[in-house]
Amino acid sequence: MNTLRLMYRGEQHFDFPKLWRPALIGSLLLVLLSIGSLATRGLNLGIEFEGGTSWEVEAPGTSVGDAREALSGTDAAAGKIQVLGGDSIRLRADLDEADAIADVTEVMAELGGVAISEVSVTTVGPSWGDQITEKARNALIWFFIIVAGYIAIRLEWKMAVGAVVAVAHDILISVGVYSVFQFEVTPATVIAFLTIMGYSLYDTIVVYDKVREISGRLTGTGRYTYNEMMNLALNQVLMRSINTSITSMLPVASMLFVGSFFLGALTLQEFAIALLIGIVVGSYSSIFLASSLVAFMKSREEQYLAIARKVEARGHTGDGTRAVSTDDIALGRTASRPARATADRPRATSAPPRPRKKKKR
């Protein structure tokens, strides 16, 4: 409980720079695994991208095996069959000829014991998927250009590089998970991927804003290296990042388990899985990837190299990251409400309180 309380106050000292190297190796392995899966297995694209026809009918108690056996004499025998919500059957097949579609529709109606008019049939041409792919690609390119330009102007270009790399890392791993497990990629999934980029960027900007605030106040003291100031910033935003991730994951998890698994809304499942993966990966990358890249570039600037040499000359061997002192933490803090004094943590003040004026009689 004491550790949790210190984390909420931003005073817990986790040595994040010590974890950056193994985290980067893990990220590199995941990225390579994603690229390898995309190259060998590809993505399971929905009919919106590949074109084809989808049938859906209520058939309580019918299994995938029953449906496949009933469709064995049609051109859709090798189609994708799913059971939705336990009482509906969805079939997707690469068919666009009217006679073949009519035959399959008749079989699906017999399977559900309903009239042909009660079978939901949707036919999509491949050109529609091409348009979506092109628009998604353009949106991705413009997103990276605008984000990089904004961060470079608002903060600095080195932070823009770290943010863009972290977002690309998140998207690549999220898409890689879809490739490894062969989750179906639909337009809803693409929207979720674009949403992931916004979330990942938000979490990274929070870290950047904190480290810029701390470095602006502590660099002048000449007592701390850039990695130590970055470590302080990460410790101060850690609990906020965890809380934001948990509050973001709760509605998404509800949408996934209640909406899709219990109510059978497959579109929610396609959307929620991508969001859930993106929130987890985005929270990780802002702490371990974006921050480490920025620290690597900034610590090589002349002013921070000079500070590092001074710190080394004072006897610090470089074994682990030093914690910033309590008084300097107060210097780097900009909380609107000062920390409450306790017996073991006296208030950090540099001047005694002013005496109160006596009232005139």
Side-chain angles (χ1 to χ4, degrees), residues 196-241:
I196 288 170
M197 294 191 294
Y199 177 84
S200 174
L201 185 66
Y202 166 77
D203 218 37
T204 304
I205 292 295
V206 169
V207 174
Y208 284 172
D209 203 44
K210 176 58 70 175
V211 71
R212 194 180 67 145
E213 168 194 320
I214 290 174
S215 62
R217 290 168 179 266
L218 294 185
T219 299
T221 65
R223 293 199 291 267
Y224 302 103
T225 64
Y226 194 86
N227 279 2
E228 289 166 346
M229 291 186 288
M230 175 66 86
N231 192 44
L232 173 62
L234 293 175
N235 276 285
Q236 289 193 351
V237 301
L238 177 63
M239 210 60 217
R240 176 178 177 174
S241 181

Side-chain angles (χ1 to χ4, degrees), residues 334-349:
T334 58
S336 57
R337 187 177 60 182
R340 189 173 55 186
T342 59
D344 60 335
R345 185 171 57 85
R347 185 189 300 274
T349 55

Side-chain angles (χ1 to χ4, degrees), residues 170-334:
D170 299 344
I171 292 297
L172 196 52
I173 290 181
S174 300
V175 175
V177 170
Y178 267 71
S179 174
V180 170
F181 294 100
Q182 287 293 293
F183 294 138
E184 188 171 26
V185 177
T186 65
T189 313
V190 175
I191 294 171
F193 286 155
L194 296 175
T195 307
I196 288 170
M197 294 191 294
Y199 177 84
S200 174
L201 185 66
Y202 166 77
D203 218 37
T204 304
I205 292 295
V206 169
V207 174
Y208 284 172
D209 203 44
K210 176 58 70 175
V211 71
R212 194 180 67 145
E213 168 194 320
I214 290 174
S215 62
R217 290 168 179 266
L218 294 185
T219 299
T221 65
R223 293 199 291 267
Y224 302 103
T225 64
Y226 194 86
N227 279 2
E228 289 166 346
M229 291 186 288
M230 175 66 86
N231 192 44
L232 173 62
L234 293 175
N235 276 285
Q236 289 193 351
V237 301
L238 177 63
M239 210 60 217
R240 176 178 177 174
S241 181
I242 292 174
N243 287 337
T244 303
S245 301
I246 291 175
T247 52
S248 301
M249 288 171 65
L250 286 176
V252 175
S254 301
M255 192 163 56
L256 177 63
F257 292 103
V258 178
S260 60
F261 291 152
F262 291 104
L263 302 181
L266 197 62
T267 304
L268 290 179
Q269 180 181 341
E270 297 158 355
F271 188 73
I273 289 176
L275 280 182
L276 206 57
I277 297 168
I279 290 172
V280 174
V281 179
S283 304
Y284 157 82
S285 68
S286 61
I287 298 292
F288 292 100
L289 183 60
S291 56
S292 62
L293 291 175
V294 172
F296 177 80
M297 291 184 284
K298 291 288 292 182
S299 61
R300 278 153 180 76
E301 292 181 359
E302 187 53 41
Q303 59 173 335
Y304 294 115
L305 284 174
I307 292 175
R309 285 193 289 268
K310 286 181 182 177
V311 170
E312 188 177 355
R314 290 171 189 156
H316 179 59
T317 59
D319 183 18
T321 307
R322 297 179 305 160
V324 178
S325 72
T326 305
D327 288 341
D328 289 334
I329 288 176
L331 185 65
R333 193 195 304 275
T334 58

Side-chain angles (χ1 to χ4, degrees), residues 51-72:
T53 304
S54 171
W55 294 262
E56 193 169 323
V57 64
E58 288 190 6
T62 303
S63 66
V64 173
D66 297 336
R68 194 167 297 284
E69 183 179 354
L71 292 163
S72 59

Side-chain angles (χ1 to χ4, degrees), residues 68-186:
R68 194 167 297 284
E69 183 179 354
L71 292 163
S72 59
T74 68
D75 294 337
K80 298 175 185 174
I81 302 173
Q82 294 173 294
V83 178
L84 307 178
D87 58 358
S88 294
I89 294 289
R90 173 183 285 181
L91 165 68
R92 292 180 178 180
D94 185 17
L95 295 180
D96 54 6
E97 295 180 1
D99 293 340
I101 293 173
D103 291 341
V104 175
T105 305
E106 187 176 347
V107 172
M108 292 293 286
E110 292 176 358
L111 193 65
V114 298
I116 291 177
S117 59
E118 295 182 49
V119 179
S120 175
V121 183
T122 305
T123 301
V124 180
S127 60
W128 196 72
D130 293 340
Q131 293 176 9
I132 291 181
T133 304
E134 183 181 357
K135 289 180 180 178
R137 184 174 58 246
N138 293 338
L140 193 65
I141 293 171
W142 279 109
F143 175 86
F144 279 114
I145 293 174
I146 293 171
V147 164
Y150 172 77
I151 297 177
I153 295 171
R154 175 72 174 78
L155 300 172
E156 56 181 295
W157 71 266
K158 292 175 182 175
M159 292 185 173
V161 172
V164 169
V165 171
V167 171
H169 161 273
D170 299 344
I171 292 297
L172 196 52
I173 290 181
S174 300
V175 175
V177 170
Y178 267 71
S179 174
V180 170
F181 294 100
Q182 287 293 293
F183 294 138
E184 188 171 26
V185 177
T186 65

